[in-house]
């Protein structure tokens, strides 16, 4: 089933990219002819922009084929991250087109030339605007539905292109009725938009490769699924490593009764792994155990008291992993402190001292988990 979904995703992305290539090549052909005949730098640059879009779609197809290839000895976790690299290449193509366009536009401002617009010119621009809007909406929607960063980037770029083509159309109409030529300045505007789009796509891809925070909804759904499994009383520290769109490998801590044996824990962990993989397409490579006191009512009161003490501190996001070992008189628990808090060490020391004052007969061990 998983393989079929991956094949469907690959086919949709490739099909969408091919449609984008065909439309953009068509626009390049007509705009280049019209731009040369009318001596319009703005229309020629618009054609160059469409050419960069076509090249971007070709890169997307190649990257998708590589990303969906089988894992191998050198890449045991697959090739999914190549889609982020492809988004960077797309950004590079767009950025280069923007810089080139900017240089040519500035040259035209310094040395202006006469332009000649016709009804055909206006018609080509109008059709290109409509085509780009429809194409952009279609490509972006497909990209969002199948979680393809390259398609989303291409779709957003196409919709921006429609706005830029509209500015070229407006400048042409203005010239026809007032004889005021602003097309070189429109070319600068187009160039700035293209450069901006390239930089944004590049930074999005960089953030994905660096390891940005995983969508909270995804994590909450996985936690909810695990919590619904019998004998699981809490789910914490879910870490997901991104190996490409919709390809996560992770680890998690679960809280279970201290009365459970290894014989019971082993099938529980296997069951959790199977359920999460089937429901969320996430492979949990590691499940760590938090033991929960269940044999002493007094410990439950201590747990509640310490939790109130800890959570009363501003900036503390979570308290979990609590356990008391009665034999060696020790208390251990984990906390999460918001990254925005500057005095994180002070909060930790305050919590440690407060708990020690309340329970001086115990050895206190506090671990500060990452807010991920």
């Amino acid at each position: 089933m998983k393989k079929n979904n991956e094949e469907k995703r690959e086919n949709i992305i490739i099909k969408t990219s091919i449609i984008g290539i065909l439309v953009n090549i068509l626009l390049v052909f007509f705009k280049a002819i019209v731009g040369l005949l009318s001596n319009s730098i703005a229309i020629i640059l618009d054609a160059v922009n469409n050419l960069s879009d076509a090249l971007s779609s070709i890169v997307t197809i190649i990257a998708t084929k590589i990303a969906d290839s089988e894992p191998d000895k050198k890449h045991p976790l697959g090739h999914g991250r190549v889609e982020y690299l492809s988004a960077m290449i797309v950004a590079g193509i767009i950025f280069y087109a923007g810089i080139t366009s900017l240089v040519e536009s500035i040259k035209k401002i310094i040395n202006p030339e006469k332009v000649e617009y016709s009804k055909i010119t206006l018609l080509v621009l109008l059709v290109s605007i409509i085509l780009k809007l429809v194409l952009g909406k279609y490509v972006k929607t497909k990209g969002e539905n199948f979680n393809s960063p390259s398609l989303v980037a291409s779709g957003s770029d196409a919709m921006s292109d429609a706005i830029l083509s509209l500015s070229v159309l407006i400048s042409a109409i203005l010239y026809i009725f007032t004889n005021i030529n602003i097309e070189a300045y429109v070319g600068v505007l187009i160039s700035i938009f293209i450069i901006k789009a390239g930089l944004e796509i590049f930074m999005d891809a960089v953030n994905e490769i660096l390891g940005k925070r995983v969508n909270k909804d995804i994590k909450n759904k996985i936690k909810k699924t695990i919590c619904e499994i019998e004998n699981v009383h809490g789910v914490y520290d879910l870490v997901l490593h991104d190996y490409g769109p919709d390809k996560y490998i992770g680890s998690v801590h679960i809280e279970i009764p201290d009365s459970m044996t290894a014989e019971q824990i082993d099938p529980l962990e296997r069951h959790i792994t199977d359920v999460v993989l089937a429901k969320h397409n996430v492979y949990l490579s590691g499940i760590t155990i938090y033991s929960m006191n269940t044999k002493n009512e007094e410990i439950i009161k201590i747990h509640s008291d310490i939790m109130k003490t800890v959570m009363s501190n501003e900036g503390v996001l979570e308290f979990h992993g609590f356990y008391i070992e009665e034999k060696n008189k020790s208390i251990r628990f984990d906390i999460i402190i918001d990254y925005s808090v500057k005095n994180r060490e002070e909060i930790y020391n305050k919590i440690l001292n407060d708990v020690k004052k309340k329970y001086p007969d115990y050895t206190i061990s506090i671990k500060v988990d990452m807010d991920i």
Side-chain angles (χ1 to χ4, degrees), residues 164-176:
L164 298 179
S165 295
L166 178 62
S167 67
V168 177
L169 177 62
I170 292 170
S171 69
I173 293 172
L174 181 67
Y175 181 76
I176 290 171

Side-chain angles (χ1 to χ4, degrees), residues 180-325:
I180 298 174
N181 186 359
I182 61 167
E183 67 139 21
Y185 296 95
V186 171
V188 170
L189 178 66
I190 291 172
S191 304
I192 291 171
F193 269 92
I194 295 171
I195 292 168
K196 180 175 178 289
L199 288 174
E200 287 174 351
I201 294 169
F202 181 82
M203 289 311 301
D204 284 343
V206 168
N207 286 333
E208 293 285 0
I209 292 171
L210 286 176
K212 70 176 186 180
R213 186 181 293 273
V214 176
N215 186 288
K216 195 173 181 180
D217 288 341
I218 295 173
K219 298 188 73 172
N220 287 340
K221 286 176 182 177
I222 294 172
K223 286 183 175 182
K224 185 175 183 293
T225 296
I226 299 173
C227 272
E228 289 171 351
I229 295 173
E230 188 179 0
N231 286 322
V232 176
H233 294 269
V235 180
Y236 310 99
D237 308 325
L238 176 61
V239 178
L240 297 177
H241 300 284
D242 186 347
Y243 285 92
D246 291 331
K247 295 178 181 177
Y248 291 106
I249 293 177
S251 60
V252 70
H253 284 69
I254 60 170
E255 190 172 46
I256 61 174
D258 57 0
S259 57
M260 291 187 71
T261 64
E263 186 180 6
Q264 295 169 310
I265 294 171
D266 178 54
L268 173 63
E269 289 184 340
R270 292 174 186 271
H271 178 59
I272 291 170
T273 301
D274 291 341
V275 169
V276 172
L277 182 61
K279 195 168 183 180
H280 302 284
N281 195 29
V282 172
Y283 175 67
L284 293 177
S285 60
I287 300 176
T288 306
I289 301 301
Y290 282 137
S291 186
M292 183 178 72
N293 294 109
T294 59
K295 302 169 185 176
N296 190 322
E297 289 293 327
E298 187 61 33
I299 289 177
I300 296 174
K301 293 179 182 177
I302 296 173
H303 173 274
S304 178
D305 180 49
I306 292 178
M307 183 170 68
K308 287 178 183 176
T309 300
V310 172
M311 296 307 295
S312 65
N313 290 273
E314 189 176 350
V316 177
L317 300 176
E318 197 172 282
F319 166 88
H320 61 263
F322 180 89
Y323 194 76
I324 291 182
E325 289 189 39

Side-chain angles (χ1 to χ4, degrees), residues 40-267:
S40 169
I41 183 63
I43 296 177
I44 292 172
L45 293 183
D46 214 9
V48 171
N49 190 28
N50 291 143
L51 180 61
S52 73
D53 292 344
L55 293 174
S56 299
S57 295
I58 293 171
V59 171
T60 298
I61 291 174
I62 296 170
T64 301
K65 295 295 289 184
I66 295 172
D68 286 329
S69 57
E70 293 293 325
D72 53 40
K73 191 171 183 178
K74 287 186 177 180
H75 312 94
L77 297 174
H79 305 77
R81 284 180 177 170
V82 77
E83 290 199 40
Y84 302 140
L85 294 176
S86 75
M88 294 177 74
I89 294 171
V90 168
I93 293 170
I94 294 171
F95 185 76
Y96 177 77
I99 293 294
T100 304
S101 299
L102 182 62
V103 171
E104 292 302 317
S105 296
I106 292 172
K107 286 181 181 178
K108 287 290 182 179
I109 291 174
I110 296 171
N111 299 303
E113 295 180 7
K114 186 179 179 181
V115 293
E116 295 180 7
Y117 294 115
S118 65
K119 291 179 181 179
I120 297 295
T121 302
L122 301 181
L123 180 62
V124 168
L125 288 173
L126 182 61
V127 171
S128 72
I129 291 168
I130 296 170
L131 278 176
K132 271 298 190 178
L133 282 173
V134 174
L135 178 67
K137 180 65 177 175
Y138 173 75
V139 172
K140 188 174 182 180
T141 300
K142 290 293 184 182
E144 290 171 345
N145 290 343
F146 292 90
N147 198 11
S148 169
S150 296
L151 282 187
V152 172
S154 297
S156 299
D157 185 47
M159 293 176 80
S160 297
D161 291 347
I163 297 172
L164 298 179
S165 295
L166 178 62
S167 67
V168 177
L169 177 62
I170 292 170
S171 69
I173 293 172
L174 181 67
Y175 181 76
I176 290 171
F177 286 99
T178 67
N179 209 35
I180 298 174
N181 186 359
I182 61 167
E183 67 139 21
Y185 296 95
V186 171
V188 170
L189 178 66
I190 291 172
S191 304
I192 291 171
F193 269 92
I194 295 171
I195 292 168
K196 180 175 178 289
L199 288 174
E200 287 174 351
I201 294 169
F202 181 82
M203 289 311 301
D204 284 343
V206 168
N207 286 333
E208 293 285 0
I209 292 171
L210 286 176
K212 70 176 186 180
R213 186 181 293 273
V214 176
N215 186 288
K216 195 173 181 180
D217 288 341
I218 295 173
K219 298 188 73 172
N220 287 340
K221 286 176 182 177
I222 294 172
K223 286 183 175 182
K224 185 175 183 293
T225 296
I226 299 173
C227 272
E228 289 171 351
I229 295 173
E230 188 179 0
N231 286 322
V232 176
H233 294 269
V235 180
Y236 310 99
D237 308 325
L238 176 61
V239 178
L240 297 177
H241 300 284
D242 186 347
Y243 285 92
D246 291 331
K247 295 178 181 177
Y248 291 106
I249 293 177
S251 60
V252 70
H253 284 69
I254 60 170
E255 190 172 46
I256 61 174
D258 57 0
S259 57
M260 291 187 71
T261 64
E263 186 180 6
Q264 295 169 310
I265 294 171
D266 178 54

Side-chain angles (χ1 to χ4, degrees), residues 347-370:
I347 291 176
Y348 170 83
N349 290 328
K350 181 180 180 301
I351 291 171
L352 181 61
N353 291 329
D354 288 346
V355 176
K356 278 183 176 180
K357 285 178 184 177
K358 285 192 171 188
Y359 302 95
D361 297 333
Y362 288 86
T363 301
I364 311 299
S365 175
I366 305 174
K367 178 187 174 185
V368 180
D369 281 338
M370 293 185 292

